[in-house]
Amino acid sequence: MSSILIIYTGGTIGMMENPETGALENFDLAHLRRHVPELGRFQYDIDFTAFDPPIDSSDMEPKYWVKLARMIADCYDRYDGFVVLHGTDTMAFTASALSFMLENLGKPVIITGSQLPILKLRTDGKENLLTSIEIAADKDEAGRPIVTEVCIFFENRLMRGNRTTKINAEGFNAFRSHNYPALAKAGIHIRYEHNLLYRPPRGALFKPHFLMDNHVIVLTIFPGLREEYVHAVARMPGLKGVVLKTYGSGNAPQKPWLIDILRRLNAAGVVLVNITQCSQGTVEMHRYGTGLQLLQAGVINGYDSTLEGTVTKLMFLLGHGLPADEVKRRMSRSLAGEITV
Ligand code: ASP
């Protein structure tokens, strides 16, 4: 019998309307069990634990990723799989962060939530929760877990966590993995794409990490971006990493002041990573002069990474106190299937 731990962090799935303000607020985990009697019908051992108090995922912080990683690591041997209930707003950040923090994960960690609270009649939460539990418990004929990575399950799709992005503030199909196919689709059967699933290196032991450094910032390029604004960013105390969200295949305006600032940041040991504002596709800085100038200024390629994947990977690598050159080297390698190099 599979044993599953459900970790409730907060989010719409477990919220209900405050009768006075009409705003959605978190409710107690005990309600979750009461409102999903189907949980009792699984032939699995299911345990629950929760953040106390639960948080709206807009309040998510690296310290909570550490808390989650610890909760999973502390009882890693006791369970066959983990289901994390999480608000949708920052779910893709948490999934990405955990994918790096839980190195050589040998069990499923399935993150899910919902767009409508589980108490609502038309909720998408039950479907998401029940299928996530099934995926977390699924094993092959040899009794090995089918999924050995951090995933997001949402509206019939299982996606690699560090490849997903929230794309819809309203519809039930809230997440997409634009640059990597879905790992499974849930219909009458759950159909896994076995050849797409991430496998830790053979014989590698599970190794949790608990250090993140958030001295990073995202700088989105747009027509009319002012020099003094970029200067202000560059002067931020303690800055260690900049994620540049550029145009198309990694292009930025050809302003000498911009290249000069980037060159100086790079020389000062700040890691500069280029990702595209497009939801699909990859960065190729040598394609146009507008990208090449960035490469020459020391900006490194973020390939087809999501914003969530890049920010959390930078925090993870910087958190381990690696020198800038080593951070750059590792940013250009896939650590948990987050980029296609
Ligand atoms: N604000 C909520 C959260 O992210 C939204 C949701 O759960 O869908 O916690």
Side-chain angles (χ1 to χ4, degrees):
M1 190 151 85
S2 290
S3 54
I4 304 297
L5 179 65
I6 299 179
I7 305 173
Y8 174 57
T9 65
T12 297
I13 192 163
M15 288 179 171
M16 57 193 207
E17 246 167 47
N18 177 323
E20 275 162 34
T21 63
L24 287 173
E25 290 172 0
N26 282 298
F27 68 75
D28 210 70
L29 177 69
H31 290 75
L32 186 70
R33 297 199 214 206
R34 184 143 42 89
H35 291 284
V36 194
E38 292 88 342
L39 288 172
R41 291 174 54 192
F42 277 118
Q43 299 293 308
Y44 313 136
D45 264 336
I46 300 179
D47 286 340
F48 296 86
T49 185
F51 276 17
D52 184 19
I55 58 160
D56 185 300
S57 83
S58 306
D59 290 323
M60 188 45 75
E61 293 270 348
K63 69 174 183 201
Y64 293 121
W65 297 331
V66 172
K67 180 173 168 155
L68 255 178
R70 267 200 206 286
M71 285 168 105
I72 293 171
D74 284 352
C75 48
Y76 186 75
D77 295 331
R78 256 188 286 149
Y79 295 96
D80 296 304
F82 301 84
V83 173
V84 178
L85 299 178
H86 195 289
T88 57
D89 288 344
T90 59
M91 189 185 286
F93 283 93
T94 297
S96 300
L98 287 183
S99 78
F100 304 122
M101 297 166 88
L102 304 175
E103 190 182 350
N104 301 329
L105 186 65
K107 300 180 178 189
V109 172
I110 314 297
I111 309 183
T112 195
S114 66
Q115 294 281 64
L116 275 179
I118 210 144
L119 303 187
K120 290 270 184 194
L121 214 49
R122 284 197 312 110
T123 185
D124 50 330
K126 270 196 192 180
E127 181 68 40
N128 287 345
L129 170 61
L130 299 176
T131 309
S132 295
I133 293 174
E134 210 165 311
I135 292 171
D138 255 353
K139 298 197 176 135
D140 64 15
E141 305 81 55
R144 290 172 303 218
I146 293 181
V147 175
T148 51
E149 58 178 302
V150 179
C151 294
I152 286 184
F153 179 80
F154 223 89
E155 228 236 352
N156 303 333
R157 276 168 212 256
L158 183 72
M159 292 157 282
R160 175 162 302 156
N162 56 34
R163 293 283 196 160
T164 57
T165 301
K166 184 173 178 182
I167 51 124
N168 198 328
E170 205 183 307
F172 288 160
N173 58 343
F175 289 88
R176 275 290 173 278
S177 163
H178 290 291
N179 284 325
Y180 198 77
L183 303 176
K185 292 210 180 102
I188 291 177
H189 303 285
I190 299 173
R191 299 221 181 269
Y192 293 97
E193 298 292 338
H194 290 271
N195 55 331
L196 296 176
L197 291 166
Y198 185 79
R199 296 277 167 240
R202 202 176 271 271
L205 292 178
F206 172 59
K207 191 170 172 210
H209 300 268
F210 307 109
L211 298 170
M212 300 294 271
D213 185 336
N214 63 356
H215 285 88
V216 303
I217 193 147
V218 180
L219 180 63
T220 302
I221 303 293
F222 60 91
L225 175 63
R226 296 182 66 87
E227 179 175 354
E228 61 269 34
Y229 295 174
V230 182
H231 263 301
V233 168
R235 275 195 225 106
M236 284 195 304
L239 184 67
K240 293 183 186 162
V242 180
V243 178
L244 279 173
K245 281 196 84 184
T246 59
Y247 305 131
S249 57
N251 308 310
Q254 300 178 82
K255 306 266 188 209
W257 60 260
L258 177 63
I259 299 306
D260 188 50
I261 295 174
L262 295 176
R263 203 173 273 132
R264 275 191 282 127
L265 279 173
N266 178 54
V270 176
V271 180
L272 311 165
V273 192
N274 188 353
I275 59 168
T276 173
Q277 293 174 22
C278 300
S279 12
Q280 213 168 336
T282 192
V283 164
E284 292 175 276
M285 282 188 277
H286 49 268
R287 254 179 94 181
Y288 298 93
T290 45
L292 192 60
Q293 54 166 357
L294 298 178
L295 191 64
Q296 289 163 346
V299 177
I300 60 162
N301 197 333
Y303 299 94
D304 57 349
S305 180
T306 58
L307 171 71
E308 296 88 336
T310 318
V311 167
T312 55
K313 187 174 174 181
L314 255 183
M315 287 186 185
F316 171 76
L317 293 175
L318 292 169
H320 286 77
L322 301 168
D325 279 347
E326 187 55 29
V327 173
K328 286 184 192 172
R329 249 193 303 281
R330 296 195 195 189
M331 284 304 292
S332 310
R333 277 202 331 244
S334 160
L335 300 185
E338 72 283 3
I339 49 173
T340 315
V341 179

